[in-house]
Amino acid sequence: MTATLIWILVALVAIGVYLSWTAGRLDRLHVRMDAARAALDAQLLRRASVAQELATSGVLDPAASIVLYEAAHAARQAEEEQREVAESELSQALRAVFEDAAQVEAVREAPGGEAAARELAEAVRRVPMARRFHNDAVGAARRLREHRKVRWFRLAGHAPFPLAVEMDDEPPAALVERVS
């Protein structure tokens, strides 16, 4: 009888250790996801700031400046619920303004334009990477949270269910190709 109780106690301790390890893993995934979200937010803010700076620099023609400035301003001021839409609209505005190589070349030839074009190209290239890292972290956390043991023992606590960021973040081809 004593041996049976010892084996039951060992099994309960093993299950407890396994659940504790799983909860720790889930917590690390949530921390990774939060860090990736912060990096994505920083890249989106950088892209909008650079676009807004370029729009007000006088390097672009007036119509392109207005389109780019309004889209960048809307992306910077958007509420969390509307952020993905505003960022997608900024991506579309960037592609519209820099759809042909002549516009990129005109920006590069202006005083200070080379640095501005390079900075914008770096910013628009980093956004898809940051979004991919965030969505990978979200996917890993979702897969672990969907396990029965996580749901039954409520190992996720009160953390909200992770959501991926879905937005249009394709950079303007002419800008990325010319500056690369």
Side-chain angles (χ1 to χ4, degrees), residues 54 60 94-100 103-104 107 120 172 174-175:
L54 185 63
L60 299 172
L94 284 166
R95 283 197 307 274
V97 170
F98 296 106
E99 69 183 331
D100 62 357
Q103 181 71 17
V104 177
V107 169
L120 183 61
L175 179 68

Side-chain angles (χ1 to χ4, degrees), residues 30-163:
H30 280 135
V31 167
R32 185 175 125 203
M33 187 178 56
D34 291 342
R37 180 61 190 223
L40 175 61
D41 287 343
Q43 292 304 323
L44 291 172
L45 181 62
R46 180 172 182 248
R47 179 181 74 160
S49 297
V50 171
Q52 207 169 17
E53 185 178 312
L54 185 63
T56 58
S57 68
V59 173
L60 299 172
D61 64 89
S65 292
I66 291 171
V67 167
L68 194 57
Y69 181 83
E70 287 180 355
H73 181 72
R76 288 184 71 178
Q77 301 298 320
E79 297 292 325
E80 191 63 35
E81 301 84 34
Q82 298 297 318
R83 183 122 189 244
E84 291 176 11
V85 173
E87 293 293 347
S88 294
E89 289 173 356
L90 176 56
S91 295
Q92 292 166 0
L94 284 166
R95 283 197 307 274
V97 170
F98 296 106
E99 69 183 331
D100 62 357
Q103 181 71 17
V104 177
E105 202 56 43
V107 169
R108 289 180 59 170
E109 290 172 359
E114 180 72 34
R118 187 178 315 108
E119 189 174 358
L120 183 61
E122 288 173 9
V124 299
R125 264 193 295 222
R126 289 180 180 164
V127 168
M129 242 186 316
R131 187 175 71 89
R132 197 171 315 120
F133 286 138
H134 175 266
N135 287 349
D136 288 347
V138 166
R142 279 181 154 181
R143 284 189 296 277
L144 185 57
R145 285 182 70 150
E146 289 171 354
H147 286 220
R148 273 185 240 141
K149 65 181 177 253
V150 173
R151 288 182 310 198
W152 288 351
F153 292 102
R154 299 175 192 254
L155 298 180
H158 297 289
F161 194 74
L163 298 173

